[in-house]
Amino acid sequence: ILEREGYITGFAVEHDTSRPGRQLKIAMKYTPDRKRTISGLRRVSKPGLRVYSGAQDVPRVLGGMGIAILSTNQGLMTDREARQRRVGGEVLCQVW
């Protein structure tokens, strides 16, 4: 979703044999004057406190300048897509 919305240039899932598990490598995106495209990221739903939103209560981030990523029964999607499809779900994070 972050690559599709233009916040990152790419990502790769790598398996390092010296450590258990896999690593997620993210290629950040910058403007021509070397400023980051992601100025902030906030995790909303946590294991101790899940945050759910109904179809009519999907949050807007900075008045539509950022995105919220939701986990719905139709898969992961942005807040705009969730409003358009009229579905709610768990609010994972907000990016601006």
Side-chain angles (χ1 to χ4, degrees):
I1 290 177
L2 293 176
E3 186 176 17
R4 187 179 68 216
E5 293 290 321
Y7 286 103
I8 63 173
T9 57
F11 67 95
V13 179
E14 296 179 353
H15 183 71
D16 188 9
T17 57
S18 63
R19 294 189 212 172
R22 295 178 284 183
Q23 286 185 333
L24 179 64
K25 298 266 185 173
I26 298 175
M28 300 297 289
K29 188 174 183 179
Y30 296 94
T31 62
D33 57 341
R34 302 289 298 153
K35 293 188 180 181
R36 297 175 296 208
T37 55
I38 296 178
S39 60
L41 184 129
R42 183 174 149 242
R43 183 177 177 184
V44 177
S45 192
K46 298 175 183 167
L49 178 63
R50 303 285 185 189
V51 177
Y52 294 95
S53 174
Q56 59 276 13
D57 301 325
V58 175
R60 287 190 187 274
V61 180
L62 294 177
M65 296 298 292
I67 62 168
I69 299 176
L70 281 81
S71 175
T72 68
N73 60 350
Q74 298 178 12
L76 290 175
M77 60 181 68
T78 65
D79 56 341
R80 287 185 215 105
E81 293 171 335
R83 261 187 241 98
Q84 187 177 30
R85 294 183 187 184
R86 293 191 173 103
V87 294
E90 182 179 358
V91 183
L92 300 177
C93 65
Q94 296 177 341
V95 182
W96 62 92

